[in-house]
């Protein structure tokens, strides 16, 4: 009787257990959609493996895919036409870009044919473009992958960002020393021939925004201003009204942003004042005049991860009592749909709704 009881208990435990799946190469990843969401935890620099969790709406783990492939490394994410692209800089020790196709739940690799690591990736309907990691002399390049051609900025400037406006390539260049408040916006044709440039006495944050119609490039400055640039290098400097947040602002850090629609973005902002640091989510709307700021309430210390346009959800990460909290909002009103608290403080970098 006791033996039968033990066997029954063991069977229940075994049935309830979800064995981890180990993956040596990220292209081997596949899922049967056992949960509602995929959570990407990239391999941190001092770790040997990362993972993709399949969880349900309550946070219960349905399956864990352990990944040892170094290409699964901390990355900035770029979205283009339903797919996501990850450039991991030097973290992966590789020059490939990772592509994730949410419709197929597949990871694939883009061979850049470069010897230098990739800092940023950008894509439009003509080509793929990259910005390389700086070398020992603080020099780097931007490249057109279809042309297999790169341009290095010699002298006092390095490449910050590459984008395209209409039929031109726009390159944002900043002072290599970081000591001067100066930025250049350089214009090239599609054959990477230099055409013209403008210079501004400002310093841009890491993240930029290119309008969906590819007619405007927006730079977010540390002084709080937003600079709007068109393909002719005409520019407008918008002084964003931040008085609702503080009247003693020293520095504004515009972190990651995601595009909500053709006229607005959601941006994670850190505002340094004389006495404090304020970390908020803000919606910025771009009309015909000055960009308008709308503070999203109850969003202290949330980091933007990504947006899922099929599910109409945007995801953020925060930490409460040494545990990771994932907040899910709808993209239209930015109201909270769900909050999921994990049982650890692991960094989640990317979320995909696999039940949409």
């Amino acid at each position: 009787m006791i033996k039968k009881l033990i066997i029954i208990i063991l069977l229940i435990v075994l049935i309830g257990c979800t064995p981890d799946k180990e993956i040596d190469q990220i292209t081997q990843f596949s899922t049967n959609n056992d949960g509602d969401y995929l959570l990407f935890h990239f391999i941190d620099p001092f770790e040997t493996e990362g993972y993709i969790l399949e969880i349900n709406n309550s946070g219960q783990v349905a399956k864990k895919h352990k990944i040892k492939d170094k290409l699964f490394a901390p990355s900035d994410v770029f979205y283009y036409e339903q797919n996501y692209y990850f450039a991991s800089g030097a973290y992966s020790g590789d020059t490939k870009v990772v592509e994730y196709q949410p419709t197929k739940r597949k990871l694939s690799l883009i061979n850049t044919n470069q010897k230098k690591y990739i800092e940023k990736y950008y894509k439009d309907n003509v080509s793929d473009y990259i910005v390389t990691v700086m070398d020992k002399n603080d020099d780097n390049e931007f490249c057109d992958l279809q042309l297999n051609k790169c341009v290095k900025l010699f002298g006092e400037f390095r490449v910050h960002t590459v984008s395209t406006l209409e039929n031109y390539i726009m390159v944002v260049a900043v002072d290599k020393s970081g000591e001067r408040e100066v930025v250049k916006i350089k214009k090239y044709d599609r054959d990477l021939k230099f055409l013209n440039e403008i210079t501004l006495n400002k310093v841009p944050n890491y993240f930029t925004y290119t309008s969906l119609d590819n007619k405007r490039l927006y730079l977010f400055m540390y002084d709080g201003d937003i600079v709007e640039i068109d393909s002719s290098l005409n520019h407008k400097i918008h002084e964003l009204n931040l008085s609702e947040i503080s009247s003693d602002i020293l520095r504004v850090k515009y972190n990651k942003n995601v595009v909500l629609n053709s006229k607005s973005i959601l941006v994670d902002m850190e505002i340094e004042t004389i006495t404090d640091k304020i970390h908020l989510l803000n919606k910025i709307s771009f009309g015909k005049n000055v960009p308008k700021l709308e503070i999203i309430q109850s969003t202290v210390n949330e980091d933007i991860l990504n947006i899922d346009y099929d599910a109409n959800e945007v995801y953020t990460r925060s930490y409460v009592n040494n545990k990771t909290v994932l907040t899910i909002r709808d993209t239209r009103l930015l109201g909270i749909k769900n909050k999921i608290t994990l049982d650890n403080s692991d960094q989640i970098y990317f979320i995909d709704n696999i039940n949409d």
Side-chain angles (χ1 to χ4, degrees):
M1 183 69 182
I2 295 176
K3 286 184 178 180
K4 288 183 178 180
L5 183 60
I6 292 173
I7 292 171
I8 292 171
I9 292 172
L10 286 173
L11 285 172
I12 292 172
V13 170
L14 289 172
I15 292 171
C17 288
T18 304
D20 295 343
K21 182 178 180 181
E22 294 193 358
I23 299 172
D24 293 323
Q25 296 180 335
I26 57 175
T27 54
Q28 297 172 344
F29 170 75
S30 64
T31 174
N32 294 321
N33 295 357
D34 294 321
D36 296 304
Y37 291 96
L38 297 181
L39 310 183
F40 286 39
H41 170 68
F42 294 131
I43 302 174
D44 288 337
F46 299 105
E47 296 179 351
T48 58
E49 66 179 27
Y51 58 76
I52 297 176
L53 284 186
E54 296 189 50
I55 65 168
N56 60 26
N57 283 310
S58 64
Q60 182 179 358
V61 177
K63 184 174 289 186
K64 184 176 184 179
H65 305 260
K66 292 183 178 181
I67 301 177
K68 296 183 178 181
D69 191 336
K70 291 183 179 180
L71 280 163
F72 195 67
S75 311
D76 180 27
V77 59
F78 175 79
Y79 175 85
Y80 182 74
E81 291 192 347
Q82 297 187 319
N83 295 330
Y84 298 87
Y85 301 86
F86 302 93
S88 59
Y91 287 122
S92 67
D94 204 300
T95 62
K96 297 182 182 68
V97 172
V98 176
E99 178 181 13
Y100 175 64
Q101 299 171 282
T103 55
K104 298 179 180 179
R105 320 295 184 202
K106 293 290 185 182
L107 289 160
S108 58
L109 301 176
I110 298 173
N111 193 341
T112 64
N113 296 314
Q114 302 301 312
K115 294 182 179 180
K116 295 184 177 181
Y117 300 131
I118 313 304
E119 175 71 20
K120 289 185 176 181
Y121 175 87
Y122 178 85
K123 183 179 180 67
D124 66 7
N125 61 348
V126 176
S127 189
D128 306 64
Y129 305 89
I130 59 169
V131 175
T132 64
V133 173
M134 290 185 292
D135 61 21
K136 63 181 180 180
N137 298 314
D138 292 335
D139 291 321
N140 67 343
E141 303 171 334
F142 72 92
C143 309
D144 182 319
L145 297 186
Q146 301 299 321
L147 294 179
N148 195 24
K149 183 178 179 181
C150 298
V151 174
K152 176 182 285 189
L153 302 185
F154 294 96
E156 300 176 335
F157 290 85
R158 65 171 176 84
V159 181
H160 174 282
T161 295
V162 61
S163 186
T164 55
L165 296 181
E166 298 181 300
N167 202 34
Y168 299 98
I169 299 169
M170 313 301 286
V171 173
V172 179
V174 295
D175 177 40
K176 288 197 298 187
S177 69
E179 297 176 356
R180 296 185 301 159
E181 293 189 356
V182 60
V183 58
K184 289 181 180 290
I185 297 91
K186 297 174 175 285
K187 178 179 176 180
Y188 295 80
D189 67 15
R190 289 289 186 172
D191 293 320
L192 302 190
K193 178 184 176 182
F194 173 75
L195 300 175
N196 201 358
E197 69 178 29
I198 60 172
T199 304
L200 301 173
N201 294 319
K202 290 182 175 293
V203 181
N205 279 270
Y206 182 82
F207 294 98
T208 63
Y209 162 57
T210 301
S211 62
L212 293 178
D213 60 7
N214 282 90
K215 291 186 177 181
R216 298 288 188 274
L217 171 65
Y218 294 90
L219 306 182
F220 304 97
M221 304 301 180
Y222 279 106
D223 63 6
D225 290 349
I226 298 176
V227 176
E228 174 186 341
I229 304 154
D230 67 16
S231 62
S232 298
L233 292 178
N234 298 315
H235 68 280
K236 298 177 183 178
I237 299 176
H238 302 291
E239 295 184 9
L240 200 61
N241 184 3
L242 301 174
S243 60
E244 186 179 353
I245 299 173
S246 176
S247 59
D248 300 313
I249 295 175
L250 299 177
R251 178 183 172 95
V252 179
K253 187 176 181 181
Y254 293 86
N255 294 317
K256 184 183 291 186
N257 64 71
V258 291
V259 180
L260 297 174
N261 52 55
S262 62
K263 295 182 179 180
S264 63
I265 64 172
L266 183 69
V267 60
D268 161 19
M269 294 173 65
E270 292 182 53
I271 299 172
E272 183 179 343
T273 70
I274 294 175
T275 59
D276 199 7
K277 284 187 178 181
I278 304 168
H279 189 174
L280 296 170
L281 292 185
N282 296 282
K283 179 181 177 181
I284 300 178
S285 300
F286 301 91
K288 294 182 179 180
N289 300 311
V290 179
K292 180 183 177 183
L293 180 77
E294 177 186 345
I295 300 172
I296 307 304
Q297 299 300 322
S298 303
T299 61
V300 178
N301 298 326
E302 290 185 44
D303 300 316
I304 291 176
L305 300 181
N306 61 284
I307 193 167
D308 186 326
Y309 293 101
D310 291 328
N312 295 314
E313 294 177 341
V314 60
Y315 311 110
T316 67
R317 177 192 65 214
S318 58
Y319 300 96
V320 177
N321 298 325
N322 293 320
K323 291 187 177 182
T324 302
V325 178
L326 305 173
T327 301
I328 302 169
R329 287 182 172 81
D330 74 89
T331 56
R332 190 170 65 90
L333 299 176
L334 298 174
I336 296 176
K337 295 175 64 175
N338 193 12
K339 280 194 174 187
I340 298 173
T341 301
L342 304 183
D343 60 4
N344 55 46
S345 60
D346 287 355
Q347 273 193 303
I348 300 301
Y349 293 87
F350 180 82
I351 299 177
D352 181 27
N353 185 326
I354 58 175
N355 196 26
D356 50 28

